[in-house]
Every structure is written in structure tokens, then in C-alpha cells.
Amino acid sequence: MWRLLTLTLLYVMPTITAWAADTKTGIFDSRFRTLQIELEGRDMLPAVMTLGGNDTLVISFDELAEDHSYLRYSLTHCDASWHPSALVYSEYIDGFNEGAITDFELSEATTMHYVHYRIVIPDDDIRIKLSGNYLLKVYREEDPDKTLLQARFSVSENSVGIAAEVTSRTDIDTNDRHQQLMLAVDVGRARVNDIYSDLKIEISQNGRLDNTVMLTAPQRVSGGKAYYEHIRQLIFPAGNEYRRFEISSVTYPGMNVAGITYSDPYYHADLYTDAVRAGRPYAYDMTQHGRYKIREYNSSESDIQADYMLTHFSLDSQRMTGYDIYIDGDLGYRRFSPETKMHYNDELSRYKAVMLLKQGAYNYSYIAVPSGSDRGFTSVVEGDFYQTVNEYTIKVYYRAPGSRYDRLLGVTTIFSGK
């Protein structure tokens, strides 16, 4: 009963205003849940559109409510580091930089009532003119200064060639705990002024934000190609395969689910207690690199017929002094937040956490963050194994002399072990 009372209070918290400096994907009002940013037909790849192409970006989310709200959205152009660019909206938007969210549906046959919203880009009101990074903000019509949620996506020109590979034969170990990237960027078609100083290369691993690398100079240049090789920043801890669970049914336990119960007003899904995998042998598992997919097993309309479940995580471990343990993955929007933080139960000698999640199939991992730090490590709980299949996304940015924004010239995704 205590866990129900605690969580009931949690999910009626008042609206929280987003920090002015916060440009990460996230939700700032607990009545909103399940924020997804997907390219139609490519929902298991990073949210990157092609400038002038036929891509359609869909941003969807739910509001825990009986009826819809009058919501609006706007776009902010950002630089390579996700700070707002020095541009006015008419420079990067064809149309008005404000749109009403009119595509919504009420949930059907669910114990928790919600409204499902969709935003499609481009639409009749907003069309994007420039490449780069974009932050979409959602707010109530009557309170435009209070951001309810926000979502990142990028728009690429696809004007450069990116050749990359990842290897476990690194400059610090061989077939052990790390993976190293090497890449070459062919800027021939992009007409870059100074390859040495005007390019920025961002590399991310599995969508994580805490260990993203930004390179500002190549190791060498030959002709129209910039080479990035034997660079210490391009050595990543290899990590481990993501863990998985499925809560697609409210009547029987799915993958990694020990049991499902109902205690008004919530379904509860108790996951099997996880073990620390550091120091254990590596075991391959095909995952979606931290993503999740909404699915109710008996429905063709999962977006509005999937229910919400309080999902209980537990990790069997002694207290890890000096570290905070977080649940990593898109289910927590890659944030080290109060919702994704594990709390130690001395009586059970376990870390515990509870998240309100919509029915579906999920990936997750445990990240250990040293106290006072914003950088996490897989080595403490999951272990680092050179065999791990990781997804690396490489973005090439260019700011021309005198320009006020960073163009995104190209993006590619590669996988280790493939």
C-alpha cells in the first residue's frame, strides 16, 4: 500500500518549468508521458531528417487526462552543442513558428485514461529551411512561457561522405574493455572554407548524452578529406548489451517480468531482480540499443489501447559507495533524473526503482554515476566487453566564416561487431 500512496502523490505533482539552459529531450510536467521522436519507416534509427527530402518526423506523447488540452508547439534552431542559434525563426522556418496540436485521440478501454497527441513535421504550418539541430517545445495555449515537454531532432544536408569503422584493437587495449573509432570525412561537395578549423564532429554511443564526444580538429587532411584516427577521445568503454523486458499484456508476464498485479488505480509489473554483470562472461543479445516500442499484444491500436503500468526494477547488489545508480535508455529520455535514479533498500540489500510506463517492449541498462559528476560508467554494474554491439552515430557540422549557425552536413550510423 505504501508504494501505491507514494506514487499516487508523485504523479499529481504540479507543472515544473524547464530550466532555461536545458535543451535535452524531456518532460517537465508529470501528467505527460511516453514522448517519442521517430522518422516514419525508420523508427529504430536516430531522428535525423534530410533537408528538402521526403522524410516525415512524428513526435507523439500522452497526457494523463480525461479530455484533451489546447496545446501548441514551436521550433528553436540550435548549434552543434544544442545551444539556441543566433537566428530569427523566419530564417529557418517557412511559415509561422507556432502550430496548434490538433491530432489527438482519447484512450480506449484502459484503466488509466489519457489523450494521445501527434505532431507531424513538416506540416501545413511549419516547413524547415535550414539544416542543423532543432528543439521542439510544447506548451499550453494559455501559458506559452511554461514548457511542458521538448524533443530534439536534426536535419541533415547529406552533402559529405563519411567513412567510419569501429574496432576492439584500441590504442589502450586489444579485445578487452574498449572500442575505438576511426573515420574520414570527404567534404568535396560541401565547399568547406577551412577543413582544419571549421568542422565539428560529434560521436554518440547508443544515444547516450553523458559520453558524447565533440572533435574540433582532424588529425590530418589530405585533399578534400579530413581524417580522425588514433585519437584518445574516440576510445569508448565497450559496455554491455542492453537488458530487455516486455509488458505488452496485463494478463500474463512477458519477457523478464516476474508477475503482474492490479491495485487500484494501477497495474503493477514486477521485473525479475537483476544481477550485476560486471565480472561475468559476456553473452550476446540482439537489442534496440536503448529504444522502446509501444505495443499491446491484443490490439491493432496500441497508441490508444495500451495501458500504463507501474514497473518495478530491482538490482541485487551491495551498496556502491561513491556512485549513484540510474536506469539508462529512451524510457527515461537519457536523463540522470529523480525518476531514473535507483534507491538502495538496506533491508533487501537491493537497489529499487519504479517507473510509470506504457505497455510495450523496452531496453534498459544500469549506469553508475560518481557522486557530483554528470558522466556515467557501464563498468560498475554492466561491465565492459569488447564484443558488445554498440550503435555509433556520427554528425558532421560546419560553420562558415561570418555565419551565425552550424550547418549539419552529414550523418551516418555504424555498429561495432558487424
Side-chain angles (χ1 to χ4, degrees):
M1 178 61 71
W2 67 268
R3 72 180 182 181
L4 176 61
L5 176 61
T6 300
L7 285 154
T8 300
L9 293 174
L10 173 65
Y11 289 107
V12 294
M13 290 191 305
T15 298
I16 302 173
T17 303
W19 297 346
D22 188 343
T23 60
K24 299 177 182 177
T25 293
I27 294 176
F28 307 104
D29 186 313
S30 58
R31 288 166 290 191
F32 291 84
R33 317 297 303 182
T34 317
L35 172 60
Q36 294 186 285
I37 310 102
E38 299 176 342
L39 282 178
E40 282 195 340
R42 290 183 287 166
D43 57 353
M44 289 297 162
L45 288 175
V48 180
M49 305 175 66
T50 299
L51 184 67
N54 297 317
D55 294 333
T56 299
L57 183 78
V58 178
I59 297 174
S60 62
F61 56 90
D62 296 338
E63 180 184 12
L64 306 182
E66 299 289 336
D67 200 359
H68 79 281
S69 298
Y70 293 96
L71 304 177
R72 302 186 74 83
Y73 71 95
S74 63
L75 294 180
T76 300
H77 191 281
C78 297
D79 65 15
S81 299
W82 291 97
H83 301 129
S85 301
L87 301 174
V88 296
Y89 82 83
S90 59
E91 294 179 274
Y92 58 87
I93 293 294
D94 180 10
F96 295 100
N97 189 19
E98 187 179 42
I101 305 177
T102 58
D103 186 349
F104 61 85
E105 294 180 275
L106 302 181
S107 61
E108 297 178 354
T110 57
T111 59
M112 180 166 288
H113 297 172
Y114 59 87
V115 184
H116 181 69
Y117 298 88
R118 293 174 80 250
I119 301 170
V120 177
I121 295 177
D123 63 13
D124 292 338
D125 297 319
I126 293 179
R127 291 168 297 281
I128 293 173
K129 294 162 58 176
L130 300 180
S131 67
N133 293 330
Y134 286 84
L135 185 69
L136 180 145
K137 295 184 178 183
V138 173
Y139 46 89
R140 297 190 187 278
E141 186 176 66
E142 69 275 13
D143 196 358
D145 295 328
K146 190 170 291 186
T147 301
L148 301 173
L149 57 91
Q150 59 191 27
R152 287 180 173 185
F153 67 94
S154 300
V155 179
S156 170
E157 297 179 16
N158 287 347
S159 60
V160 297
I162 306 171
E165 64 174 293
V166 57
T167 178
S168 58
R169 298 183 299 277
T170 78
D171 291 341
I172 61 175
D173 58 22
T174 298
N175 292 346
D176 191 3
R177 296 176 293 110
H178 296 86
Q179 296 172 351
Q180 183 165 354
L181 276 74
M182 296 176 288
L183 57 122
V185 178
D186 185 345
V187 300
R189 292 191 296 123
R191 297 180 181 178
V192 172
N193 181 65
D194 187 337
I195 298 178
Y196 277 106
S197 62
D198 295 342
L199 292 180
K200 292 182 180 179
I201 313 296
E202 181 196 82
I203 303 97
S204 62
Q205 182 192 54
N206 298 324
R208 285 176 56 183
L209 303 178
D210 61 304
N211 66 347
T212 296
V213 169
M214 183 72 78
L215 302 177
T216 56
Q219 185 188 53
R220 62 187 177 92
V221 173
S222 178
K225 291 185 178 180
Y227 292 89
Y228 302 80
E229 301 168 331
H230 302 290
I231 296 175
R232 182 63 181 83
Q233 288 174 276
L234 294 182
I235 302 176
F236 288 80
N240 204 341
E241 308 296 346
Y242 278 80
R243 303 174 192 251
R244 297 190 292 161
F245 68 91
E246 292 188 9
I247 49 173
S248 56
S249 171
V250 298
T251 57
Y252 67 86
M255 177 189 298
N256 199 34
V257 179
I260 294 175
T261 58
Y262 180 77
S263 180
D264 189 31
Y266 300 110
Y267 282 103
H268 291 261
D270 289 292
L271 305 186
Y272 282 108
T273 298
D274 289 317
V276 173
R277 297 192 290 179
R280 297 190 174 195
Y282 168 80
Y284 171 73
D285 188 17
M286 181 180 291
T287 75
Q288 288 71 50
H289 308 287
R291 298 182 177 90
Y292 67 88
K293 187 72 174 178
I294 297 304
R295 187 173 74 90
E296 206 291 324
Y297 88 105
N298 201 32
S299 171
S300 60
E301 298 288 341
S302 293
D303 285 340
I304 58 173
Q305 293 179 355
D307 219 322
Y308 275 85
M309 309 179 78
L310 285 174
T311 305
H312 299 261
F313 298 79
S314 62
L315 174 65
D316 186 11
S317 170
Q318 295 299 312
R319 186 188 294 271
M320 299 181 184
T321 304
Y323 292 98
D324 293 320
I325 308 301
Y326 290 89
I327 301 170
D328 174 63
D330 283 359
L331 76 176
Y333 312 113
R334 308 292 180 160
R335 288 173 172 262
F336 300 145
S337 68
E339 186 175 12
T340 60
K341 185 177 181 179
M342 306 285 287
H343 298 278
Y344 197 73
N345 185 309
D346 289 298
E347 183 178 345
L348 297 176
S349 296
R350 292 175 180 173
Y351 284 92
K352 306 282 286 184
V354 183
M355 299 182 71
L356 184 64
L357 300 174
K358 198 173 183 179
Q359 284 182 269
Y362 288 81
N363 282 192
Y364 69 105
S365 178
Y366 294 114
I367 300 291
V369 181
S371 300
S373 174
D374 58 2
R375 168 72 183 269
F377 297 92
T378 50
S379 58
V380 178
V381 179
E382 304 293 1
D384 289 318
F385 300 91
Y386 75 90
Q387 305 98 319
T388 302
V389 178
N390 287 307
E391 177 185 295
Y392 293 95
T393 299
I394 302 163
K395 296 182 177 180
V396 179
Y397 297 94
Y398 169 58
R399 177 169 294 205
S403 176
R404 293 178 294 120
Y405 78 101
D406 292 325
R407 294 164 55 189
L408 180 55
L409 300 185
V411 181
T412 194
T413 298
I414 63 170
F415 298 86
S416 58
K418 290 188 176 181

